[in-house]
Amino acid sequence: MMMNGKERIRKAFKVQAVDRIPWIPFVGVHGAFLAGYKADEYLQSADFLVNGINKAVEAYQPDGIPVCFDLQIEAEALGCQLAWSPDNPPAVISHPLAGGKSLDILPKFEKSSGRIPLVIEATKRTRAAHPDIAIYGLITGPFTLALHLLGTDIFMMMFENPDYTNELLAYTVEISRQMAGWYLEAGCDVIAVVDPMTSQIGPDHFEQFIHEPISSLYKYIRENGGLSSFFVCGHAQQNIEVMCKTGPDNVSIDENIPLDYVRDICKRYGISFGGNLQLTLVLLMGTAEDCQKHALECIDTAGETGFILAPGCDLPMTTPVENIQAITTLVHDPYQRDVVRALEKTAEEMPILDLAEYGRTEKVIVDIITLDSESCAPCQYMVEAVREVTPHFEGLVEWREHSIKNLDGVTFMSSLFVKNIPTICIDGKISFVSQIPPKQELIRAVQKRINEKLKLKIREKHGKIVLAGTREELKEIYDKAKIAILELGAHIEIETISGEEARRLYGISQTPAWINVRNRIKSEGTEPSIEVMREWIKALL
Amino acid sequence: MTHEEILKMLAICVERGKVNKNAPFPPDLRDQDGADELAKHAIDQGITADVVLSEGLVTGMTAIGIKFRENRVFVPEVLMAAKAMTAGMAHLRPFFQSGAITHKGALIIGTVMGDLHDIGKNLLGMIVEGAGWEIIDLGIDVSADKFLAGLEEHPGAYIGLSCLLTTTMLNMEKIVIDIKASKPDAKILIGGAPVTDDFRSKIGADWYSPDPQGAVDYLNGQQT
Ligand code: B12
């Protein structure tokens, strides 16, 4: 049974079986990029936020989406000054409690403070527009908010004035609780408590200062019908276990922490987990293929239940759309996962097929690379199309299906540089990718190759010399050959071609090479397949 | 206390972040002398300033730097150790001024333009200072011009750039190019979470280390 995104997230949070891996792209300022705004204007307008979210939902078909990824909202409302940037979330640049001032100086925190009305409105509109996906309300975790308010003195305060530290954290967690309440009221399904600063302390300090306030926060979220996620960015490996002990429904981590490590600990605590997609190296700077490969690694490591695929943190603003869409495809399309998996294997261990074979046989060979035509509908149609067309050529054309579920198929795929499934190759050349060609087009393509081969044969009758290799390699050979032809008084043409071409046309694997086109080389350095041998023998009869 | 005992205790106070006698932390050293008192005591006892520095303060800071590198302690512990080191260092200042002791060299540090993160940069400064180097801290959001001005003032100083954002990595590249253009001999160290050694070689900086201890190793190695 197909679940909707919201159900899928809910189940995954409860570590129950799901129909497929749930997927949450953490779109923050990346939404501004999608909708064509600057980061600062985006984060200060409910309309812009809603536009960005709608674009993200459309482009990435997620199971859940955050409303606003900005950990400065609460701090701003409490009097911290912000430095705005066109391509990043804003930064806190002043700390009202610096030096350890009394909490009494802070303004009252209300639903009408700062940008809170704006994000609540955006939440309500997102809820109404997307009833079927999980809406995430992201709140600043109590320790990170404490850093905003006090500055880095917070670290030394933990040693020098534990009472003040406790008082401050009791205050900041109350702010978190209020934010959580407002987000839940506005329709959020999940409250993500984002507390990256906790990555900078050890487990002892965590237990001493963070455990109690944050545990009470998760309890509150649960009692009010929400799901909770403990979200850290950064090197928080030392704290995963103490984080689990605070009792969130989910722990979300970034690339700094090995996923299997988190998986094992979370499993022990019966808590779901998520994240881990590499933000910079892969999502921002990698290719779509890198992204798919990496996402699959995460899925394979994490396992099927209790895992939510997501970036490690806020997506960099200018992350290429096609990279995130590639992950969407991977999540939604089980074939794609097999393709990526098969390709993965090819990278290291696959022997490379000798493409020379195509130059040697008399027939034109049509290869169809499929997942396998029984289980993949598009593959089946493609095979059908080829099967239907071959009789037109009366034995001149031979077709073969290569399922990448077998080693043979994978070898073909990598040797012919095929990237998508299904693909048709004609004599080793990628000709139709993913789309089923109309009959006439397929016939035309095959005919073209037959003509090419025929022309070659006609030329063979006259006889010529073909030299294959790079210009440097051939320089001397060419000159000498010219002299020899002159000396013999023969009328023989010399043609030069690249090594690549020689490989396809004549089956040459090393250059420089000399080919007498009348007496064609049938094999060189490799064992031809039995089909190919049969063709050669027939030609001799 | 013998000289040896004083120095040993001084190193322990630095490593454990025991600033002075009044400091409540660490609880097990409550009411005992801290780095402040012990450094003064050492000088009063006739231990030379350079020995107080190298066998007291530097030993303590190196110990915490290594533990930090190995993830056995975290940011708060290093900040406390640095605070203790600074308290002890105050008693050595006159000796630096008179030339009785000298720094191993100078490192000009700063977070690159557009970047406001400074926790990592500060730790770098503290740990390198704790290894006997002079630190000139230009703060956050620092331009190439400011680094160059710093070099004018401190000829022969090394430069340490820090950056935490992928967007400001571009500024780091620009700053390295600008510095090298006017001072080809300047040696530039770079670091910060998103930075890698590949990036270093791409932008033509001289040294990358994932942690401050690696910067100390490099700088100390450059001395001989
Ligand atoms: C603390 C923090 C802040 C604080 C900074 C407070 C301060 N005074 O520094 C505040 C709240 C202000 C802040 C603001 C922002 N931050 Co911030 N922040 C962090 C956080 C949580 C920790 C960074 C940190 O201090 N680490 C600890 C130190 C010790 O590590 P370090 O800096 O890497 O330094 C170590 C080494 O790298 C090395 N080192 C450092 N420099 C050098 C130099 C040399 C020469 C050498 C040899 C070594 C070396 O030594 C250090 C000790 O080992 C990280 C997330 C995380 N958990 O890592 C995000 C993070 C860095 N921030 C991020 C972002 C996006 C921002 C903001 C744009 C918006 C935001 N708040 O979300 C603004 C940017 C403002 C600006 N223009 O700079 C992103 C960066 C993403 C990216 N790669 O581009 C991160 C990774 C969070 C995330 N995943 O989204 N942030």
Side-chain angles (χ1 to χ4, degrees), chain A residues 223-415:
Chain A
E223 283 168 0
N224 285 273
L227 296 166
S228 57
S229 176
F230 197 154
F231 199 139
V232 274
C233 316
H235 295 268
Q237 187 159 356
Q238 75 276 7
N239 288 334
I240 298 298
E241 179 135 21
V242 288
M243 284 165 62
C244 286
K245 286 188 187 162
T246 60
D249 295 313
N250 172 272
V251 163
S252 197
I253 50 130
D254 80 5
E255 64 218 55
N256 287 305
I257 312 178
L259 194 56
D260 52 352
Y261 178 86
V262 178
R263 175 198 63 203
D264 292 346
I265 294 183
C266 286
K267 281 231 160 101
R268 233 186 312 126
Y269 285 86
I271 291 174
S272 71
F273 61 107
N276 206 244
L277 288 169
Q278 287 194 24
L279 292 171
T280 311
L281 279 179
V282 179
L283 300 186
L284 179 65
M285 307 199 298
T287 63
E289 276 159 43
D290 295 337
C291 292
Q292 290 196 327
K293 215 156 91 180
H294 175 54
L296 192 66
E297 271 163 26
C298 289
I299 295 174
D300 285 347
T301 306
E304 295 286 325
T305 36
F307 175 64
I308 289 142
L309 183 68
C313 211
D314 193 5
L315 277 173
M317 181 154 167
T318 55
T319 305
V321 177
E322 60 273 20
N323 282 5
I324 307 301
Q325 280 178 326
I327 297 177
T328 299
T329 314
L330 186 88
V331 167
H332 285 266
D333 180 358
Y335 301 144
Q336 197 61 29
R337 251 171 276 161
D338 290 331
V339 171
V340 175
R341 212 166 264 140
L343 275 178
E344 187 109 292
K345 257 190 268 158
T346 63
E348 309 105 33
E349 67 220 47
M350 285 301 125
I352 292 294
L353 198 75
D354 184 5
L355 303 184
E357 224 178 88
Y358 295 109
R360 290 182 208 127
T361 69
E362 305 283 320
K363 286 191 178 185
V364 168
I365 298 176
V366 178
D367 292 300
I368 315 148
I369 324 280
T370 64
L371 186 63
D372 78 37
S373 55
E374 276 112 67
S375 66
C376 149
C379 303
Q380 190 189 336
Y381 297 139
M382 206 175 243
V383 170
E384 280 307 321
V386 174
R387 197 204 305 274
E388 214 179 287
V389 155
T390 39
H392 289 263
F393 298 101
E394 295 170 346
L396 266 179
V397 175
E398 185 182 306
W399 70 271
R400 337 181 263 200
E401 179 188 344
H402 307 276
S403 158
I404 58 160
K405 285 192 173 164
N406 309 321
L407 196 71
D408 154 73
V410 173
T411 311
F412 256 86
M413 186 161 184
S414 63
S415 305

Side-chain angles (χ1 to χ4, degrees), chain A residues 88 159-160 200 202 238 280, chain B residues 25 74-76 80 83 166-167:
Chain A
N88 266 314
F159 293 114
E160 297 183 322
Q200 301 308 321
Q238 75 276 7
T280 311
Chain B
F25 177 81
F74 302 90
V75 172
M80 284 309 293
K83 188 168 181 177
T166 36
T167 44

Side-chain angles (χ1 to χ4, degrees), chain A residues 72 88-92 147-148 152 196-197 199-200 233-234 313, chain B residues 68 75 114-120 123-124 160-162 164-166 189-193 209-212 215:
Chain A
Q72 284 65 237
N88 266 314
V92 165
L147 172 91
H148 284 328
T152 48
M197 280 319 293
S199 66
Q200 301 308 321
C233 316
C313 211
Chain B
F68 181 66
V75 172
D115 206 319
L116 310 176
H117 293 87
D118 68 357
I119 299 174
L123 292 183
L124 171 77
L161 307 179
S162 178
L164 265 285
L165 297 170
T166 36
L189 292 72
I190 62 168
S209 157
D211 50 52

Side-chain angles (χ1 to χ4, degrees), chain B residues 15-60:
Chain B
E15 182 184 343
R16 299 206 51 207
K18 173 70 176 171
V19 181
N20 55 33
K21 194 164 184 160
N22 285 334
F25 177 81
D28 61 314
L29 299 181
R30 200 176 269 268
D31 298 326
Q32 293 184 26
D33 283 347
D36 183 10
E37 293 81 9
L38 285 167
K40 182 169 185 307
H41 187 54
I43 299 289
D44 292 346
Q45 290 292 303
I47 306 178
T48 58
D50 64 325
V51 172
V52 177
L53 178 67
S54 63
E55 277 163 49
L57 304 180
V58 173
T59 306

